[in-house]
Amino acid sequence: MSAEKTLVILKPDCLNQGAAGTVIERFERAGFEIAACKMMRLSTTLLREHYAHLAKLPFFPEIERFMGSRPVIVLILRGERAVDRVRELLGPTDSTKAPKGTIRGDLGTDKMSNICHASDSAAAAATEIQRFFRADEIFG
Ligand code: ADP
């Protein structure tokens, strides 16, 4: 099977605790390559598009506040079965339920502060990669 790309966001709680290096190291040790990387503050417009599937939920304003609270790091990772394997490395959304050994289980706090976003399907990865990166910002 050929290499696949997925989109990852290192969320504000990851950067606030100085865990960007640790998280990127886990991805690299698992065999993923960085194909693109940038730091950016996520605008309300971008967040409403990115989290459109949650927009009607009562805690959506909190997600917007949290995700916009500071600049984040957005990455494209490349590797075999990247979409599924990166989600496996993260663990489930709720950090309190994520097993030890997963990124969220080891470093996350709760459902909202869960360290990383990662695309949940190949179709989502394609859409999200285009949402955050121009073609000339993606390497290899
Ligand atoms: P995932 O990020 O694991 O794909 P979702 O797409 O369901 O999960 O949710 C997007 C993000 O919204 C989560 O990563 C988390 O930061 C936040 N979130 C989801 N569900 C809740 C919840 N019940 N309470 C607070 N925040 C939540």
Side-chain angles (χ1 to χ4, degrees), residues 96-111:
T96 66
K97 300 211 168 75
K100 287 292 158 208
T102 64
I103 290 171
R104 286 168 167 168
D106 292 345
L107 301 165
T109 307
D110 52 29
K111 279 186 186 158

Side-chain angles (χ1 to χ4, degrees), residues 11 51 53-54 59 63 66 87 92-93 104 111-114 116-118 120:
K11 295 187 180 189
Y51 284 129
H53 62 295
L54 304 175
F59 53 83
I63 295 180
F66 167 61
R87 296 276 295 189
T93 307
R104 286 168 167 168
K111 279 186 186 158
M112 173 131 9
S113 298
N114 61 7
C116 268
H117 164 82
D120 65 3

Side-chain angles (χ1 to χ4, degrees), residues 39-55:
M39 189 163 199
M40 63 192 289
R41 191 181 280 280
L42 304 179
S43 68
T44 303
T45 309
L46 192 61
L47 283 170
R48 287 196 182 156
E49 193 183 308
H50 185 66
Y51 284 129
H53 62 295
L54 304 175

Side-chain angles (χ1 to χ4, degrees), residues 62-137:
E62 265 182 83
I63 295 180
E64 236 177 33
R65 253 196 312 278
F66 167 61
M67 291 299 292
S69 64
R70 60 162 295 157
V72 296
I73 292 175
V74 191
L75 301 161
I76 299 173
L77 297 179
R78 186 193 302 106
E80 296 293 315
R81 292 180 53 242
V83 170
D84 288 348
R85 284 178 54 226
V86 167
R87 296 276 295 189
E88 282 159 23
L89 289 175
L90 287 193
T93 307
D94 185 349
S95 305
T96 66
K97 300 211 168 75
K100 287 292 158 208
T102 64
I103 290 171
R104 286 168 167 168
D106 292 345
L107 301 165
T109 307
D110 52 29
K111 279 186 186 158
M112 173 131 9
S113 298
N114 61 7
I115 304 288
C116 268
H117 164 82
S119 309
D120 65 3
S121 66
T127 304
E128 293 176 359
I129 284 169
Q130 282 197 26
R131 179 173 299 145
F132 289 93
F133 290 94
R134 297 191 314 261
D136 67 354
E137 294 174 323

Side-chain angles (χ1 to χ4, degrees), residues 8-55:
V8 167
I9 304 174
L10 304 186
K11 295 187 180 189
D13 58 316
C14 175
L15 293 158
N16 286 342
Q17 66 180 270
T22 303
V23 171
I24 291 172
E25 184 179 16
R26 287 197 189 202
F27 291 137
E28 289 186 321
R29 280 183 190 243
F32 295 103
E33 272 178 5
I34 298 171
C37 178
K38 69 165 87 162
M39 189 163 199
M40 63 192 289
R41 191 181 280 280
L42 304 179
S43 68
T44 303
T45 309
L46 192 61
L47 283 170
R48 287 196 182 156
E49 193 183 308
H50 185 66
Y51 284 129
H53 62 295
L54 304 175

